[in-house]
Amino acid sequence: HPETNAIVVAYRGTSDVYNWATDLSIVRVAYPYCDTCSVHSGFYKAEQEVIGDVFEQVGKLVSKYPDATIMVTGHSLGAALATLTAIDLQDKFQSSEVELYTYGCPRIFNQDGANFASAAIGTHYRRTHYKDMVVHVPPMATGFVHTSGEVYEDGPISSYPNYPGGPMKSCSGEEDETCADQYNGMSVPDHLLYEGIPLG
């Protein structure tokens, strides 16, 4: 992307948000970056199936554009894959700056994993929107925790898909009760529209 001097890795979201989110597994497996970290088994398996191809393509671009930033982004399920990919890319291409921008990301890690991921990615914006249901799964009661970097967009959608977007707030920590955590969100429309842009 010449205007931002960035190599962009983008993941799409799931096509059936409600069924996917309500059926989401709560199984975690060991995460290799730290002894006490664990990660959602389904997200990790899906990311590992494609990371070899991502390494190959990003590696070619890093060789061609060594000063470019690696920018990783995704929505919904794609946001979880983007988070895991950003960590792997930071480890693989340590001379490159990696930035992560996610939208409507579910919880991915246990507490230690979330702590590790929050520290591993320097520039990380985890966008949430009002009562977006996906950012509340898997539930915290099952041992899952968000990463830090939340930027919360307030306000219900008044006119989909012409909603212009709501006010934004930078949140603190990994689970800020003044941001998305203040709601028990069950809204699919809030998940599909971020900053006035339809993502579903």
Side-chain angles (χ1 to χ4, degrees):
H1 192 276
E3 293 179 9
T4 56
N5 191 32
I7 297 163
V8 180
V9 180
Y11 286 96
R12 60 160 288 173
T14 181
S15 59
D16 189 346
V17 174
Y18 186 81
N19 286 338
W20 167 76
T22 53
D23 292 341
L24 196 60
S25 166
I26 59 171
V27 176
R28 292 193 308 273
V29 295
Y31 191 54
Y33 285 107
C34 71
D35 292 340
T36 56
C37 294
S38 62
V39 61
H40 186 279
S41 60
F43 299 155
Y44 186 58
K45 179 181 178 183
E47 187 261 353
Q48 288 294 293
E49 288 175 352
V50 299
I51 195 62
D53 292 334
V54 174
F55 281 165
E56 180 181 356
Q57 297 304 318
V58 171
K60 292 176 182 178
L61 291 167
V62 167
S63 296
K64 190 173 181 180
Y65 306 103
D67 297 326
T69 297
I70 301 173
M71 186 183 297
V72 190
T73 188
H75 171 247
S76 193
L77 170 62
L81 303 186
T83 302
L84 296 168
T85 295
I87 295 168
D88 283 344
L89 288 170
Q90 187 71 78
D91 183 65
K92 179 78 170 178
F93 302 101
Q94 296 186 9
S95 62
S96 298
E97 179 184 358
V98 177
E99 298 179 354
L100 175 64
Y101 300 87
T102 64
Y103 299 83
C105 189
R107 295 183 177 101
I108 307 168
F109 301 100
N110 71 336
Q111 183 67 68
D112 288 344
N115 292 345
F116 171 83
S118 296
I121 306 167
T123 301
H124 177 192
Y125 295 98
R126 180 174 62 81
R127 298 289 208 277
T128 60
H129 178 207
Y130 198 48
K131 297 183 180 181
D132 179 345
M133 69 179 293
V134 172
V135 303
H136 296 280
V137 296
M140 287 184 67
T142 60
F144 284 87
V145 180
H146 272 302
T147 57
S148 62
E150 181 180 8
V151 179
Y152 171 68
E153 179 182 1
D154 200 12
I157 294 173
S158 56
S159 56
Y160 183 88
N162 299 313
Y163 175 68
M168 308 292 287
K169 175 184 177 180
S170 293
C171 310
S172 59
E174 295 164 345
E175 299 282 352
D176 187 335
E177 293 183 356
T178 68
C179 293
D181 275 4
Q182 68 185 293
Y183 300 109
N184 182 16
M186 286 302 291
S187 171
V188 171
D190 290 343
H191 180 65
L192 299 178
L193 202 66
Y194 270 78
E195 300 173 45
I197 300 173
L199 297 179

